[in-house]
Amino acid sequence: MLNFSDEIFGVGKVIIRLPEVGKFTVLVKQNYNPRFQEKILGKDYTLCEFLDRLESVMMGEKSEKGIKRVIELFTKIGLFANLEGHGFLISAVRRSLADPSELHSVTTRLYHEIAEEYHTTSKAVERNIRNAITVAYNKGKLVKVANTYYGANFDENEKPTNSEFIAFLTTIASMD
């Protein structure tokens, strides 16, 4: 079992006991990453549970870096947070990163989950996402920036659909 000691001057201790090998003590600096501290420290784990939990926290960190890339893209194309679709798109990307099968059922599943999260209807989610894409497309920057800097292949005469745009954003967010 893994056993985390109490925090002492910002350092935590992880004790890993393996029957065939013995006992290991690992010191962990806790104050650099509150998410790590919140989601991992303070519990007992088997080695497999600890490694699974550590992997999920690290994937969450990678996901947040991807979300920051998406927000940077939004800024470049003129899609700002004053549009409701902005938050809905971020939520759609987070959900698609966590479960890529969400991209196969955007209207039947993804919109409903976002609607529940924001206490609205799936039709409002769909409409606001479409509006956000239209605003960015009409400013003329969406196609140019996406094609030039992110390798998209959007047609200048055809606005991307909600599903296409969400899939594109998810791809941007998942890039290393």
Side-chain angles (χ1 to χ4, degrees):
M1 293 294 283
L2 296 175
N3 187 3
F4 291 91
S5 71
D6 293 329
E7 182 176 349
I8 302 171
F9 300 112
V11 176
K13 180 170 64 172
V14 179
I15 300 170
I16 303 173
R17 291 187 184 92
L18 299 172
E20 63 277 357
V21 180
K23 179 173 119 176
F24 295 95
T25 302
V26 180
L27 295 179
V28 180
K29 184 177 178 184
Q30 293 179 339
N31 60 356
Y32 79 98
N33 188 336
R35 183 173 299 152
F36 179 85
Q37 182 175 347
E38 171 187 311
K39 296 195 179 208
I40 297 220
L41 299 178
K43 298 177 184 167
D44 289 343
Y45 298 94
T46 65
L47 182 58
C48 289
E49 290 170 339
F50 173 73
L51 293 175
D52 288 344
R53 192 73 186 134
L54 181 60
E55 181 182 20
S56 76
V57 169
M58 290 172 69
M59 289 302 289
E61 290 293 316
K62 182 180 175 187
S63 170
E64 287 306 309
K65 287 179 184 175
I67 296 297
K68 287 180 183 177
R69 271 195 300 277
V70 169
I71 292 171
E72 288 171 6
L73 169 66
F74 284 177
T75 303
K76 289 177 185 175
I77 64 175
L79 200 158
F80 298 108
N82 62 323
L83 297 170
E84 282 189 62
H86 181 279
F88 294 160
L89 283 165
I90 296 296
S91 182
V93 171
R94 277 198 174 102
R95 290 173 183 281
S96 298
L97 286 171
D99 181 9
S101 69
E102 295 273 0
L103 292 172
H104 300 291
S105 51
V106 172
T107 56
T108 57
R109 198 166 95 199
L110 186 61
Y111 289 162
H112 293 287
E113 291 174 2
I114 296 169
E116 286 178 13
E117 178 184 347
Y118 284 89
H119 308 290
T120 188
T121 66
S122 58
K123 288 186 183 217
V125 171
E126 187 274 333
R127 181 182 62 245
N128 284 305
I129 288 175
R130 186 170 10 95
N131 179 58
I133 295 169
T134 301
V135 167
Y137 179 80
N138 288 342
K139 287 184 177 186
K141 296 178 184 177
L142 186 147
V143 173
K144 182 179 177 184
V145 171
N147 290 350
T148 304
Y149 298 107
Y150 295 95
N153 194 20
F154 294 135
D155 186 2
E156 289 184 20
N157 301 319
E158 189 174 329
K159 180 180 73 161
T161 66
N162 289 10
S163 297
E164 288 172 338
F165 195 64
I166 292 168
F168 169 70
L169 294 176
T170 302
T171 301
I172 296 299
S174 64
M175 293 169 44
D176 286 332

